[in-house]
Amino acid sequence: MADTPTTDQAAPQDAGKQPKSVRVVLLALMITMMLAMLDNMIVGTAMPTIVGELGGLEHLSWVVTAYTLATAAATPLWGKIGDMYGRKGTFMASIVLFLVGSALSGMAQDMGQLIGFRAVQGLGAGGLMVGVMAIIGDLIPPRERGKYQGMMAGVMALAMIGGPLVGGTITDHWGWRWAFYINLPLGVVSLGLISAVLHLPKKRAQARIDYLGAGLLTIGITAIVLVTTWGGTEYAWTSARIMELIGIGVAALIGFVFWQTKAAEPVVPLHIFRSRNFTLMSLIGFITGFAMFGATLFLPLYQQAVQGASATNSGLLLLPMLGAMLVTSMVAGRVTTNTGRYKAFPIVGGVLMVVGLYLLSLMDTDTSRLTSGLYMAVLGAGMGCLMQITMLVAQNSVEMKDMGVASSSTTLFRTLGSSFGVAIMGALFNHRVQDVMAERAGSLGAKVTEQSAQLDAASLAKLPVAAREAYQHAVSSGTHAAFLLGAAVAVIVLVSALFVKEVPLKGAGPAKGENAQDGAAAQPPVVEAV
């Protein structure tokens, strides 16, 4: 029905003064965003206890894989359904599905049930982040949206720091089932606030959902995630199973792209990629996910194995990176809101990301915590310039009717980037650790790491002194290789940022002598009725 939002009648200069109801909605959105980000971190901490009670150690990886697969596959579908049938109902449906999956996961009686219920939870999770970003895109003009970047970056930092601590506390005092049940009261609060306060125009598309396109995309994404999850761990990269998955994934994605040119209401309308800015932001988001999740995986490992830090406080070890990310994100948002200018931030972010990753590659067994903290802060500052700006520019590059697919596509590229980052950097890390252990500790070193190149604190403490020192050098060598690769890949962010066209943000109006042609014309402030 209505494809465009209602227009706030306030004068343009008052567009940034959001009514109290909008602030309440933003609170609900931040709670939902917290749910999406906290879950895997809390559950990851509880996994040893879960395996101890339910058994099924051989299926342990599927508890995470099922959730990740379902989330990635569902992400673009939630975005499109929101565009077609209305954002509010779609978003609330995703929250309900996530909460149902959480409740069922908490009641699981064996590992098979837990894996299945985690998939249900993942299907709902696919709509959480997309819904948050798309509704913010509907409610707040891009020119004003920058000031809320700090809020979103703060939620992200809080989730990364607090997730492992909360997970450990809940598991120790309430039991692992509450790692899932804790989602229920937060989700109910979010649902109640959204139901009572958020009022968006109702939509009803005449066209049907593109089921064939959705199926092809799901198969393609599933194959990609399985390749990055299994490659080098469950199966060798050159094994028949991995080759089959690559073939299936490539064929499905080629078929998907072809079908999107024919479908009446495509899941991902290809015309959004005609915008140079949108395509560049998708690429930058992919590389940012690649670097960020690789860093969050290997930094705690390095600090525990080489610098002797406690695993219990692993979230706190990332504080320099996350703090810098929060501060720079807030600064970038304020400057963008006040000036309407944003091109400098992807460029500066690209430079800082390359430099930060290169500095981290220089860490060895003698690097102090202060030095590694400074290196992390440089990387965090770079990511702070990129994390929210990519979504802001992507949304500014499409029409309002495509806000959902723009948000979901950008989120999906970042998710896929993280999968590739963890897989490729992880494979390189493991290879270096095993090689160095074999060189320094001979057959004992090879035996120590034959199952996994990543040892927990308990296993590390049991090693002979010589083997432990060899492992510290091996981890240092592995992180050097992984971060050096990350720095090389991050150069793509810098090059891409140089080609970004600074289109005036909607709600700001075009600068004198400019016209906004890149994907969406500059428009007067648009704020959804709330």
Side-chain angles (χ1 to χ4, degrees), residues 275-281 342 393 397 499-501 503 518:
S275 164
R276 180 207 299 176
N277 278 4
F278 183 83
T279 302
L280 290 173
M281 288 305 117
Y342 53 82
V393 177
S397 302
F499 290 94
V500 172
K501 181 180 179 183
V503 178
D518 192 15

Side-chain angles (χ1 to χ4, degrees), residues 7 18 516:
T7 303
Q18 302 298 338

Side-chain angles (χ1 to χ4, degrees), residues 208-221:
R208 297 180 62 188
I209 296 173
D210 176 17
Y211 292 107
L212 177 57
L216 288 170
L217 182 59
T218 300
I219 292 171
I221 292 173

Side-chain angles (χ1 to χ4, degrees), residues 171-382:
T171 303
D172 290 342
H173 294 89
W174 296 352
W176 67 264
R177 296 182 186 276
W178 277 96
F180 298 103
Y181 293 151
I182 194 66
N183 294 328
L184 302 181
L186 293 174
V188 169
V189 170
S190 180
L191 275 175
L193 293 175
I194 291 169
S195 176
V197 183
L198 180 63
H199 304 290
L200 301 177
K202 296 185 182 297
K203 301 179 182 179
R204 180 67 191 179
Q206 297 301 315
R208 297 180 62 188
I209 296 173
D210 176 17
Y211 292 107
L212 177 57
L216 288 170
L217 182 59
T218 300
I219 292 171
I221 292 173
T222 299
I224 289 173
V225 174
L226 286 178
V227 166
T228 56
T229 303
W230 285 347
T233 53
E234 298 286 330
Y235 303 96
W237 284 104
T238 56
S239 67
R241 179 61 55 87
I242 296 298
M243 292 297 107
E244 289 169 2
L245 286 171
I246 291 174
I248 291 171
V250 170
L253 292 178
I254 291 174
F256 169 76
V257 171
F258 172 77
W259 178 249
Q260 294 306 278
T261 65
K262 308 292 184 184
E265 193 66 51
V267 176
V268 180
L270 300 183
H271 67 78
I272 62 177
F273 292 97
R274 293 175 191 159
S275 164
R276 180 207 299 176
N277 278 4
F278 183 83
T279 302
L280 290 173
M281 288 305 117
S282 298
L283 179 59
I284 289 173
F286 181 91
I287 302 301
T288 303
F290 186 105
M292 179 178 178
F293 283 88
T296 55
L297 174 66
F298 295 113
L299 281 172
L301 181 63
Y302 168 84
Q303 292 189 306
Q304 290 171 41
V306 179
Q307 295 181 329
S310 167
T312 306
N313 298 322
S314 58
L316 296 176
L317 301 176
L318 298 174
L319 189 57
M321 182 177 75
L322 298 173
M325 185 176 74
L326 174 59
V327 171
T328 53
S329 183
M330 292 176 65
V331 170
R334 285 292 175 181
V335 171
T336 301
T337 295
N338 293 335
T339 68
R341 300 291 182 181
Y342 53 82
K343 182 173 179 176
F345 294 112
I347 296 174
V348 172
V351 170
L352 290 174
M353 181 176 283
V354 172
V355 172
L357 287 166
Y358 175 73
L359 290 173
L360 289 171
S361 76
L362 301 179
M363 295 189 303
D364 55 27
T365 54
D366 297 322
T367 303
S368 67
R369 291 191 189 181
L370 175 61
T371 301
S372 60
L374 292 174
Y375 293 169
M376 282 190 279
V378 175
L379 176 60

Side-chain angles (χ1 to χ4, degrees), residues 63 70 78 86 121 226 267 298 370 391 429 471 503:
V63 176
W78 284 114
Q121 191 184 22
L226 286 178
V267 176
F298 295 113
L370 175 61
M391 181 65 73
F429 172 86
Y471 183 70
V503 178

Side-chain angles (χ1 to χ4, degrees), residues 51 55-62 234:
V51 172
L57 178 62
E58 67 276 14
H59 303 303
L60 174 64
S61 63
W62 273 104
E234 298 286 330

